[in-house]
Amino acid sequence: MMAQYLEIKAANPDHLLFYHMGDFYELFFDDAAEASRALGIELTKRGKHLGEDIPMCGVPVRKADEYLQKLIRCGFRVAVCEQTENPAQAKKRGAKAVVRRDVVRLVTPGTITEDTLLDARANNFLTSLFRAPSSTTEPGEIFALASVDISTGEFLIGEAPASDLQGELARLSPGEIIAGEELAQEARIAAWAGQAGASLTPVARASYDSLAGERALKETLGLAELAGLGAFSRAELASAGALLAYISLTQIGRQPALRLPKRMGARDALAIDAATRANLELTSSQRGERRGSLLAALDRTVTGAGARELAARLSSPLTDAAAIAARLDGVSWCLEQHTARAQLRKRLRGCPDPARALARLTLGRGGPRDLAAIRDALGAAEECSALLREAAGTAQPAAEIGAICSDLSTVGPALREELEAALGEELPLQKRDGGFVRGGYNDDLDENRALRDDARKVIAALQARYGEQTGVKSLKVRHNNILGYFVEVTAANGDALMRAPLNETFIHRQTMANAIRFTTTELGQTEARIVSAAERAVALELEVFDALLERLSAQERELGEAAAALAALDHYTALAVLAEEEAYVRPAIDDSHAFEIDAGR
């Protein structure tokens, strides 16, 4: 086992290795010493290596998220090592074969998806930074940034001059920044990353290749060409390619469900330097808290996704008057529709976070509750779409609201109906625990569950039939750990079962002082079915889970659009509530520099 551990650790020298053993993740050697200090847990020892005691500490699997959160906050990166086969498979290679294990995920500050490790009301971006080659047409340094929140699929690409880079990083507030090794070593980059609250990770310079980035974008987004998304510079493609490669590396080949990338930068939003952003306290106060910020003063959203949308828009003020007017039209329409707005907010309140549930599912970390979150969110989307259409019958909706209504209907009811039919009422956290598929959904599963749960009834029925067949009323079907299930009769009745015609059914197994034990072909087959029924039931549930996940994957893009539409709708209705509460007046926005206020307060 230690040989296996050392081999896996050698492949991940820069990460603490969470090595799954039974109900614990174990850490050994220097990893154990560092983790025990960071987590405040006891350092013990287990066995010897090269004549020395092996330091060891461990954390329970069921509480791993709590410990991961502490380690990530302390600046550690963690490699999670899981079993890739079960003990029965290992025994086929030999009695002392070690169960195969491998790293299934590298946990870094920018690649977290667990709800327990994330702020529901804030994005967690992973940002790739690349300095564009110098150009005679555009003097000065230009940096290309590509950012992904893998917990929601949001994808941003853009460029910024060196003078605006610090402000851009402050706006994004990423959990982690990756950069080429040379760039990452520059003192100003490290300082700006620290001021943005991000961990800075150096990656190979060769990762920043524009041609490879273009191929990776096409493959990840399922597009033949990128022209429909706008014109990306070679630097932007290089930065995006390095970002996607890093995600693939940390997720061991898996890619999250990404939305189509949005452009960002000075052309699309107001550039605000880091110092001004801090002084304005847009999303956090100067104490670093949400409380006391402009965002906290304005936020009336009822979902985490809506709060993230509000924060993103507040952090990136638009500079186009027409786009600003379109957003104000959306708020005005929601303000006027009192009844519809109240009904929409009632339906949105408590709505799950489908974007984060979808991200966990596509990365192989999701469970039955994430499927239920998708189901419930789709139900909310259908009801909100119906409410918007009903309100549109009396008042033509603004363009932004009309687009939201359209996006809420992209998935259709079939997927929700399938999830409702498949998922039970009470759902476990992990799919491996089973018990999440509704009875009546799968006949084979129902049969195995019945056999697993009603084994006593099955055996009692066999006992009654055998007693009637032999005429031995005292006949019993018993069980022990050595023989399994067996038929037992008194010694006086044993001779009859060993003579024709009963000896064709009953096979002698053991003679005791006062009893004789038999088996039958049917009893052996029933025992095998009972023993395997529980395993078979779980296996069938996992097949159902995979089939449902495949259905979700086929509509991944549409689900992302519906999730974004729910967030935008929450944001618009929340701003309408704010305007009503505070008696706000809609401003008249144009392209001039005039700033006129009448009867202000």
Side-chain angles (χ1 to χ4, degrees):
M1 185 276 289
M2 288 310 302
Q4 182 189 67
Y5 172 87
L6 291 170
E7 180 182 356
I8 296 171
K9 176 61 184 176
N12 300 274
D14 299 327
H15 293 71
L16 298 182
L17 184 60
F18 266 36
Y19 185 83
H20 194 172
M21 292 181 63
D23 294 329
F24 283 80
Y25 284 117
E26 305 285 11
L27 299 97
F28 299 96
F29 299 104
D30 290 344
D31 284 5
E34 291 189 64
S36 67
R37 285 194 298 269
L39 299 174
I41 57 178
E42 185 177 358
L43 183 66
T44 61
K45 57 187 178 181
R46 175 171 179 164
K48 291 183 180 291
H49 179 68
L50 302 178
E52 299 290 334
D53 290 335
I54 300 174
M56 181 191 82
C57 69
V59 301
V61 170
R62 61 188 175 83
K63 290 190 174 182
D65 285 358
E66 298 176 21
Y67 293 103
L68 274 175
Q69 184 179 39
K70 292 180 182 178
L71 291 172
I72 293 299
R73 285 179 176 174
C74 290
F76 291 102
R77 289 169 170 76
V78 179
V80 180
C81 180
E82 300 282 3
Q83 294 181 1
T84 57
E85 65 176 0
N86 59 46
Q89 292 170 317
K91 284 183 179 179
K92 293 178 181 177
R93 301 196 311 275
K96 295 186 178 181
V98 179
V99 174
R100 283 198 183 99
R101 293 176 176 84
D102 206 349
V103 172
V104 298
R105 175 190 175 198
L106 301 177
V107 185
T108 69
T111 59
I112 299 168
T113 56
E114 289 81 358
D115 278 341
T116 53
L117 307 184
L118 292 169
D119 181 352
R121 306 179 78 80
N123 283 109
N124 184 52
F125 282 113
L126 169 68
T127 295
S128 170
L129 188 61
F130 178 65
R131 179 165 45 209
S134 58
S135 169
T136 56
T137 58
E138 293 186 26
E141 290 180 296
I142 299 295
F143 289 87
L145 300 93
S147 301
V148 162
D149 182 345
I150 72 168
S151 72
T152 65
E154 189 167 355
F155 194 178
L156 307 173
I157 298 178
E159 289 182 335
S163 58
D164 291 343
L165 180 58
Q166 187 181 7
E168 278 296 284
L169 294 177
R171 179 180 69 82
L172 289 167
S173 189
E176 182 177 5
I177 298 171
I178 64 170
E181 293 160 330
E182 292 182 4
L183 187 59
Q185 289 174 2
E186 292 187 15
R188 59 174 181 163
I189 299 299
W192 292 346
Q195 290 164 7
S199 169
L200 181 59
T201 303
V203 298
R205 173 65 176 78
S207 301
Y208 290 87
D209 180 285
S210 60
L211 293 178
E214 184 175 6
R215 288 194 300 270
L217 268 176
K218 289 177 181 178
E219 182 180 345
T220 302
L221 300 174
L223 300 174
E225 295 295 336
L226 300 178
L229 302 178
F232 294 115
S233 69
R234 305 315 298 180
E236 288 173 334
L237 291 173
S239 189
L243 179 70
L244 295 176
Y246 185 75
I247 291 173
S248 180
L249 172 69
T250 56
Q251 307 310 305
I252 317 299
R254 291 181 178 269
Q255 284 287 354
L258 299 183
R259 300 183 206 166
L260 295 177
K262 296 179 184 176
R263 302 272 330 164
M264 66 175 188
R267 290 169 294 182
D268 309 291
L270 184 67
I272 306 176
D273 63 86
T276 303
R277 188 176 293 276
N279 288 327
L280 289 174
E281 298 182 305
L282 295 179
T283 57
S284 64
S285 70
Q286 293 192 14
R287 294 188 299 274
E289 301 173 354
R290 190 175 185 276
R291 183 180 178 182
S293 67
L294 177 61
L295 174 62
L298 300 182
D299 192 359
R300 302 293 189 275
T301 58
V302 294
T303 68
R308 294 196 299 268
E309 182 68 17
L310 176 61
R313 297 193 181 197
L314 195 59
S315 297
S316 305
L318 296 178
T319 56
D320 180 78
I324 295 171
R327 288 188 178 178
L328 292 173
D329 286 343
V331 178
S332 295
W333 189 86
C334 291
L335 179 61
E336 294 164 1
Q337 303 300 312
H338 300 277
T339 303
R341 186 181 73 229
Q343 292 174 329
L344 288 166
R345 284 174 63 79
K346 181 179 179 180
R347 188 60 189 87
L348 286 168
R349 194 178 301 278
C351 177
D353 199 331
R356 286 189 166 168
L358 182 61
R360 285 190 292 272
L361 288 165
T362 55
L363 288 170
R365 275 172 233 149
R369 294 180 189 177
D370 290 309
L371 289 177
I374 300 291
R375 174 200 64 196
D376 296 343
L378 288 176
E382 287 181 32
E383 290 185 37
C384 288
S385 178
L387 288 169
L388 288 173
R389 288 196 301 271
E390 183 181 344
T394 57
Q396 180 67 27
E400 292 272 313
I401 302 300
I404 288 172
C405 185
S406 176
D407 288 344
L408 289 174
S409 307
T410 55
V411 180
L415 179 58
R416 175 191 53 76
E417 291 170 356
E418 183 72 15
L419 290 170
E420 286 182 345
L423 298 175
E425 298 299 327
E426 295 185 9
L427 302 175
L429 182 61
Q430 303 290 340
K431 61 182 180 180
R432 64 172 178 262
D433 296 333
F436 58 86
V437 177
R438 188 183 296 276
Y441 181 76
N442 183 297
D443 292 341
D444 195 7
L445 174 59
D446 289 344
E447 181 181 340
N448 278 275
R449 280 176 170 172
L451 188 58
R452 177 197 66 193
D453 300 337
D454 298 334
R456 290 185 179 180
K457 293 180 181 179
V458 172
I459 294 301
L462 273 179
Q463 176 178 297
R465 182 150 53 82
Y466 287 159
E468 185 178 342
Q469 181 181 350
T470 60
V472 179
K473 294 183 179 180
S474 61
L475 179 148
K476 301 292 183 183
V477 175
R478 301 186 186 278
H479 180 274
N480 65 35
N481 292 331
I482 298 173
L483 296 180
Y485 284 99
F486 55 86
V487 176
E488 183 175 279
V489 296
T490 61
N493 292 316
D495 289 343
L497 274 66
M498 288 189 281
R499 293 196 303 267
L502 293 177
N503 63 353
E504 295 179 6
T505 301
F506 296 91
I507 304 164
H508 178 253
R509 291 199 66 180
Q510 191 177 37
T511 298
M512 311 289 290
N514 298 316
I516 301 178
R517 292 170 175 174
F518 299 84
T519 189
T520 71
T521 301
E522 181 185 22
L523 184 59
Q525 292 172 343
T526 301
E527 179 178 12
R529 287 170 56 215
I530 290 172
V531 170
S532 65
E535 292 181 3
R536 176 62 178 157
V538 172
L540 286 169
E541 290 206 63
L542 293 180
E543 288 179 13
V544 170
F545 186 93
D546 290 341
L548 293 173
L549 186 55
E550 192 172 336
R551 287 285 305 275
L552 261 64
S553 299
Q555 294 185 273
E556 190 177 282
R557 186 66 49 76
E558 292 83 356
L559 285 166
E561 291 173 358
L566 284 169
L569 182 61
D570 183 20
H571 144 271
Y572 275 116
T573 56
L575 287 179
V577 168
L578 173 69
E580 187 173 66
E581 287 179 358
E582 303 295 336
Y584 285 172
V585 176
R586 174 174 176 166
I589 304 292
D590 58 31
D591 290 320
S592 75
H593 292 167
F595 184 60
E596 300 176 4
I597 302 176
D598 291 331
R601 67 181 194 274

